[in-house]
Amino acid sequence: EPEVTQTPSHQVTQMGQEVILRCVPISNHLYFYWYRQILGQKVEFLVSFYNNEISEKSEIFDDQFSVERPDGSNFTLKIRSTKLEDSAMYFCASSEIGGITEAFFGQGTRLTVV
Amino acid sequence: DAKTTQPPSMDCAEGRAANLPCNHSTISGNEYVYWYRQIHSQGPQYIIHGLKNNETNEMASLIITEDRKSSTLILPHATLRDTAVYYCIVRVNYGGSQGNLIFGKGTKLSVKP
């Protein structure tokens, strides 16, 4: 069964450093998303991406964040200057089309900012 | 904020049906009801969705009341692997919707031997 793949599974970084989280969405999917989940809290929407541009973003997704689809298979989330409060699980998801189809989530990257 | 209300936790005996309720009294006519679950901090997993008719797939059944103000997810024969947090989400399906999901706190279902 096709799946969304995220790397690395766990990343530790120092405060102020840049990090790039990587995702390989399901190959025929066109819509891509990032969500995050701070430990013990709700899953929160960050951004959706379609046709090589951001289609929606939440207020969490400020200027420190950016997304990119650098080639035909990868989808990345960059955090420019990490803060302690960026420590969370970050989930990538993809869907075949928008609307009512289901989103498939990856297993997440645990980001720890020290 | 999430537009749904779910009990924070429920227990179910292994092999029995698990019935997870969800209230969505402010749901509007173009909003769908979705269910996802999250097993121990893994990525959320889609279960089922519906608009107004009852739905069934290989994982579960979804019963939506006639007034659409509440719904019930049914896992017909719960196993230990069904222990997870279950999220009920209402979402508008409008043209060009990008599939953003607003998660609440969900119901933590514990299936016990």
Side-chain angles (χ1 to χ4, degrees):
Chain A
E1 184 175 316
E3 59 181 15
V4 176
T5 305
Q6 291 187 242
T7 54
S9 57
H10 190 186
Q11 181 152 359
V12 181
T13 188
Q14 289 204 325
M15 191 169 53
Q17 295 296 303
E18 174 183 287
V19 294
I20 297 176
L21 309 183
R22 302 180 191 281
C23 169
V24 179
I26 294 173
S27 62
N28 63 336
H29 285 188
L30 300 177
Y31 291 79
F32 315 116
Y33 318 89
W34 284 100
Y35 290 77
R36 80 171 186 189
Q37 186 174 31
I38 296 170
L39 187 63
Q41 298 189 23
K42 297 184 286 188
V43 177
E44 302 173 291
F45 167 74
L46 293 179
V47 66
S48 59
F49 190 86
Y50 169 69
N51 200 25
N52 281 322
E53 60 183 21
I54 291 173
S55 47
E56 288 189 56
K57 60 183 181 179
S58 72
E59 57 190 27
I60 302 170
F61 193 89
D62 61 21
D63 292 344
Q64 294 287 1
F65 292 90
S66 63
V67 290
E68 190 179 28
R69 187 152 164 83
D71 54 42
S73 60
N74 290 286
F75 180 51
T76 62
L77 174 70
K78 181 192 292 186
I79 308 175
R80 201 155 298 136
S81 176
T82 51
K83 303 188 280 282
L84 295 176
E85 53 265 38
D86 294 326
S87 294
M89 282 289 285
Y90 287 81
F91 295 109
C92 174
S94 68
S95 64
E96 191 172 3
I97 58 176
I100 64 171
T101 58
E102 64 265 35
F104 291 83
F105 284 77
Q107 291 304 295
T109 293
R110 179 169 299 285
L111 176 66
T112 303
V113 182
V114 297
Chain B
D1 284 341
K3 298 170 63 175
T4 61
T5 304
Q6 299 178 253
S9 63
M10 291 182 64
D11 290 342
C12 178
E14 187 179 19
R16 305 297 295 267
N19 297 283
L20 292 97
C22 179
N23 285 320
H24 31 79
S25 58
T26 60
I27 193 169
S28 56
N30 61 350
E31 288 183 315
Y32 284 70
V33 180
Y34 285 76
W35 285 84
Y36 279 75
R37 72 181 182 183
Q38 188 176 26
I39 299 172
H40 190 55
S41 297
Q42 296 178 20
Q45 178 189 23
Y46 166 82
I47 301 173
I48 199 167
H49 73 274
L51 182 61
K52 50 187 176 182
N53 297 323
N54 297 338
E55 302 288 344
T56 295
N57 63 20
E58 65 278 4
M59 289 183 69
S61 295
L62 173 61
I63 308 298
I64 303 174
T65 58
E66 194 168 339
D67 63 8
R68 302 206 327 120
K69 293 185 177 182
S70 65
S71 60
T72 301
L73 178 75
I74 301 172
L75 308 178
H77 306 286
T79 70
L80 299 179
R81 289 178 296 178
D82 292 321
T83 293
V85 179
Y86 287 77
Y87 299 100
C88 170
I89 300 168
V90 295
R91 218 189 110 254
V92 172
N93 171 36
Y94 51 90
S97 165
Q98 298 300 299
N100 312 339
L101 300 164
I102 307 299
F103 289 83
K105 295 183 179 180
T107 295
K108 182 172 173 51
L109 175 69
S110 298
V111 181
K112 299 183 184 300

